[in-house]
Amino acid sequence: MEFAYLGFWSIIAIYLIYKIFRCIRIIPAQDVLIVERLGKYSRSLRAGFHILIPFIDRDAYYHTLKEQSIDVQPQICITHDNVQVKVDGVIYLKIIDPVRASYGIEDFQFAAIQLAQTTMRSVIGTMELDKTIGEKDLINSTIVAAIDQASEPWGIKVNRYEILNIVPPKSVLDAMEKEKKAQIAKRSQVLLSEGERDSRINRSLGFKEEAVNKSEGEKQRRINSAEGKATEIEALAVATAKGIESIAGAISDQGGASAIKLQITKAFIHNFLNVAKENTEILIPADVMNLPNLIANLTEGKKPKA
């Protein structure tokens, strides 16, 4: 009997020690403890050391103020063109009012997931498949706006929503793959034809430029040749004029006439010897034996007698 009595009080003592120990609370940073006193909200305990009143205070809810990521499980959505797609995503939210997050809704995470799935089905139902795949940002922003508006009484803030995968049926994927291959083949043919066209245009432009360059070169060559000939003729004329002028000056000087007669005599004899070759018939002037008179006649411009 005494042993049973001692055991009962031992259990009571252990229970009291446990309750007293449970009244000591150390809250980490970015965490909040919602305390109720006699079933009513009492206070919110932030980071630090706290003591509760045994049997009166109770830790009702425990929240973290860090941003939370919640997976949205895949669900079937039907697009505007009646194609079923499987869509999943992730919600990023944060508690901004722990009291409303505790008493404003039973489970804010479950409610946010359900609202995200409902909004996703509604948004995708207004889009065709091609636009659904290419307009993820629009779907994300629409879901965020819908959840954020509905979750204001819940004391949470939805920062963003990200669609992870949009998976059409296999038959649709096969059709899209065939369409993509056809588009690639068409683009390849277009690029080849454009490349061939550009190549022909470039070759024709090259031939044109080559012909223009050749004609310009020929033109410049002829101009240079004509200018060279003109310069040559001009130089020859100037030289001839200077020679004539020098001869005229030499003739007018003393003894110039005798020098001219001597040169003419030498030239006459030289030319006469070149003409009077073997088997050559020539006519000799009658006064060839009178060479001085012949030279005088030549210098005076008179013709010799045949």
Side-chain angles (χ1 to χ4, degrees), residues 3-192:
F3 179 77
Y5 183 77
L6 182 61
F8 172 76
W9 285 108
S10 298
I11 293 174
I12 295 298
I14 293 173
Y15 177 72
L16 291 176
I17 293 173
Y18 170 75
K19 292 296 291 184
I20 293 173
F21 179 77
R22 287 285 299 168
C23 291
I24 299 174
R25 291 287 183 270
I26 298 176
I27 310 299
Q30 293 296 314
D31 287 351
V32 176
L33 179 65
I34 303 298
V35 178
E36 292 181 352
R37 178 168 294 178
L38 299 177
K40 295 176 61 177
Y41 169 73
S42 175
R43 62 190 183 277
S44 300
L45 302 181
R46 303 279 177 163
F49 179 82
H50 304 277
I51 298 178
L52 305 180
I53 301 175
F55 304 104
I56 296 177
D57 293 339
R58 182 178 72 91
D59 48 348
Y61 300 97
Y62 193 89
H63 298 293
T64 177
L65 301 181
K66 299 176 183 177
E67 187 175 29
Q68 307 175 44
S69 60
I70 305 173
D71 291 332
V72 179
Q73 296 301 316
Q75 62 172 334
I76 299 298
C77 302
I78 300 177
T79 63
H80 185 68
D81 49 354
N82 296 323
V83 178
Q84 293 184 353
V85 293
K86 185 180 292 186
V87 186
D88 60 351
V90 179
I91 301 175
Y92 296 89
L93 53 81
K94 185 177 182 181
I95 296 177
I96 57 176
D97 191 339
V99 177
R100 285 192 292 174
S102 301
Y103 300 102
I105 191 170
E106 181 68 23
D107 188 347
F108 66 86
Q109 291 186 353
F110 177 78
I113 292 173
Q114 295 300 312
L115 186 56
Q117 290 179 336
T118 303
T119 306
M120 188 186 302
R121 286 194 295 267
S122 300
V123 174
I124 291 179
T126 62
M127 298 180 177
E128 295 183 354
L129 178 61
D130 294 340
K131 189 176 181 181
T132 300
I133 296 175
E135 296 290 342
K136 287 185 178 181
D137 292 339
L138 176 60
I139 299 174
N140 293 336
S141 60
T142 304
I143 294 175
V144 169
I147 300 177
D148 197 37
Q149 183 179 3
S151 63
E152 184 178 358
W154 307 343
I156 65 174
K157 172 68 176 176
V158 178
N159 294 328
R160 60 190 182 278
Y161 179 86
E162 296 292 339
I163 293 178
L164 296 180
N165 300 293
I166 298 178
V167 183
K170 188 175 184 304
S171 58
V172 176
L173 289 176
D174 293 339
M176 293 173 64
E177 184 177 359
K178 291 180 180 178
E179 181 182 1
K180 189 65 176 179
K181 287 182 179 179
Q183 291 178 354
I184 293 174
K186 178 181 178 181
R187 190 181 301 115
S188 176
Q189 292 177 358
V190 171
L191 291 176
L192 287 175

Side-chain angles (χ1 to χ4, degrees), residues 226-241:
E227 290 179 351
K229 290 181 178 180
T231 304
E232 181 183 359
I233 294 172
E234 182 180 1
L236 183 59
V238 170
T240 303

